[in-house]
Amino acid sequence: MGEPPNGQPYIGVFARAWAKAVAGTSYLPMTHAQLEALLQRLTDLLAKALRAEPLDLRVGHRVAQELVAAHIASAEALGRTVEVIQLRLVRDLDLVADDIEDRMARLLGAVATGYARALRDRTLDEQESIRRAAMTARAEAEQALRASEARFRHQATHDPLTDLPNRTLFAERLAAAVDAGNGRRVGLCFVDLDRFKRINDSFGHQIGDRALVEAARRLRRSVEPHLVARLGGDAFVVLVERSTGTGDVVAVAEAALAALSEPVVVDGHDVTVTASVGIVERRTAGTSPDDLMRAAGSTLNWAKTAGGARWALYDAERDGQEQARQELSAAIPVGLERGEFFLDYQPLTSLHDGSLLGVEALVRWRHPQLGVLRPDSFIGLAEETGLIVPLGGWVLAEACREAVGWASASGRPPYVSVNLAVRQVRRPGLVQEVRALLRRTGLPPDRLQLEITESTMMSSSEEPVRALRALAELGIRIAIDDFGTGYSNLAYLRDLPVTELKVAGEFVRGLRTPEARADERILASLVSLAHALDLTVTAEGVETGGQAERLRAIGCDAGQGWHFGRPAPPDHILARIR
Ligand code: C2E
Ligand code: MG
Ligand code: MG
């Protein structure tokens, strides 16, 4: 093996020996050939450095750096590298110089230092990259978590059908708006589609759902940027967080109504609906989300009862009255249970001989807070809510119970006249209830009169008429109360089981004045018509002797009013009978 000009074969020999020494000391991400090529290049660098003047120690550093970069980085690899260089480099490359030993030692020192430095750098790099990887991983995990939290929160705060904010989110935003305080104002539009149930009923829920989605979309667009939430069903609410006055919120409501009233066609079906809006607008100070929602709900009701397709604005006075009514109606069952209701009786007096023909039972309520209430303040309520059924049942039973005791030793005992509300007459069980009551109390049927209004008889259904017929057949008297204030149609009375007409006080009042001759003539013909139909006539609201006299002259059979006696407790009636 002669020495070639560039010394390559010798370098190759050494590099092979070096590769053999380090192979297997650590995992190397390269083939053995690649390793040999690398080490050959490094051997060349080392050889050149040892020959050069002055000795450049940076070559040692660089060689070490490259070794470490190539993952020849274990302590063992370093040891073997130092060893093989020390033992073989000078010999294999046939290096000659006086100070070759010294140069060799210094270069090896540089390799070792470079090694240490490169290792440290690599460790730092690795730590850094681990740290970075960890940070990235954590950031990603956090983001994923945030994303899933956001998704979860979105689900929890949005309506799945329309993707509008739901009740929960709306409640949060409303509470925040109210809390904002400091002279701020807040507004609500409570939006409800009119007769939306009809869409579902006629086209099915799928089309109904799509109509709702469309309504939600329009609503959101029309009132942007205000928050629109779906409260459920076809009810939505718009929050005007910083209102400057009623006008702001009315404008929002009008925009919403306009957008909703545009025609909507789903699958070829016209699903256009109108909407109603209840508007509340007020200062945040002194109000609460609950107050606002309740007020908006009541106001929506006003818009609905006014026919829908409109907005209504909150009115504290009206709301106050309604609330009072509501409280009052809620107190009726309690009052019944506690015996707060009682009856007064008012004489029905014969205009022919002044005898006591009957007494009308008039209910009163001794309300624990409000004092004694007249029926006008609670009967209407009781009728609306259906509470008239238990209340009227109590009145009927109480009146019958009391009337039994009016049987006098001499003369005909008076009948008791009880007012019946429409709802009571419509109830299927009425006839049985009355029959059982008469049996229980022992009151003869002809000593009970039931007063009903004209409207009860005008009802489209046959049921009330059939019930009254059954009652009349039992021998009970039937009177039409307040005649003249309603339809005043005598013709239909011919076929009805009615025994008496009670003419409303309005007609009687006119008798006072001489100019009211027309009233008197009307009354006179009414009386003769009634008589032709075999009905007796009782005039209500007779307040003076003059009126009583006129009525008698006209031919009225009986009178009721202050002139004959005010409504009074039952002992007054008893005293009068005895
Ligand atoms: P109504 O059946 O027409 O009863 C007559 C009303 O006229 C009573 O008022 C009576 O106090 C009043 N009145 C009697 N005489 C005079 C008079 O000379 N002048 C004037 N201005 N008024 C007179 P009240 O007791 O307040 O009853 C009002 C209405 O409440 C009754 O009118 C009746 O429709 C209803 N009502 C009373 N009790 C009951 C009941 O138990 N059930 C039902 N469903 N309604 C009842
Ligand atoms: Mg009456
Ligand atoms: Mg009356």
Side-chain angles (χ1 to χ4, degrees), residues 360 419 451 480-483 502-505 540 560:
E360 178 171 3
N419 295 283
E451 295 190 13
I480 302 287
D481 199 358
D482 302 332
F483 189 84
K502 292 187 75 180
V503 178
E540 301 184 55
Q560 173 182 9

Side-chain angles (χ1 to χ4, degrees), residues 205-274:
H205 283 262
Q206 235 167 348
I207 295 211
D209 279 358
R210 284 169 59 194
L212 278 176
V213 169
E214 177 58 16
R217 194 185 65 83
R218 290 172 179 209
L219 202 52
R220 169 152 47 190
R221 279 203 182 169
S222 63
V223 306
E224 241 159 14
H226 302 297
L227 177 87
V228 182
R230 182 179 179 213
L231 297 181
D234 58 348
F236 303 88
V237 63
V238 185
L239 175 64
V240 179
E241 273 166 321
R242 284 166 179 243
S243 163
T244 62
T246 308
D248 282 4
V249 191
V250 169
V252 167
E254 281 180 344
L257 284 174
L260 288 171
S261 67
E262 294 282 318
V264 190
V265 176
V266 172
D267 267 3
H269 300 294
D270 182 2
V271 292
T272 313
V273 284
T274 58

Side-chain angles (χ1 to χ4, degrees), residues 96-111:
V96 279
D98 295 340
D99 59 349
I100 193 67
E101 294 294 325
D102 175 52
R103 292 167 74 97
M104 185 66 174
R106 282 166 59 203
L107 189 59
L108 269 178
V111 169

Side-chain angles (χ1 to χ4, degrees), residues 428-442:
L430 177 71
V431 179
Q432 262 169 299
E433 184 189 330
V434 173
R435 203 187 280 129
L437 185 62
L438 293 180
R439 204 180 309 127
R440 201 166 66 234
T441 57

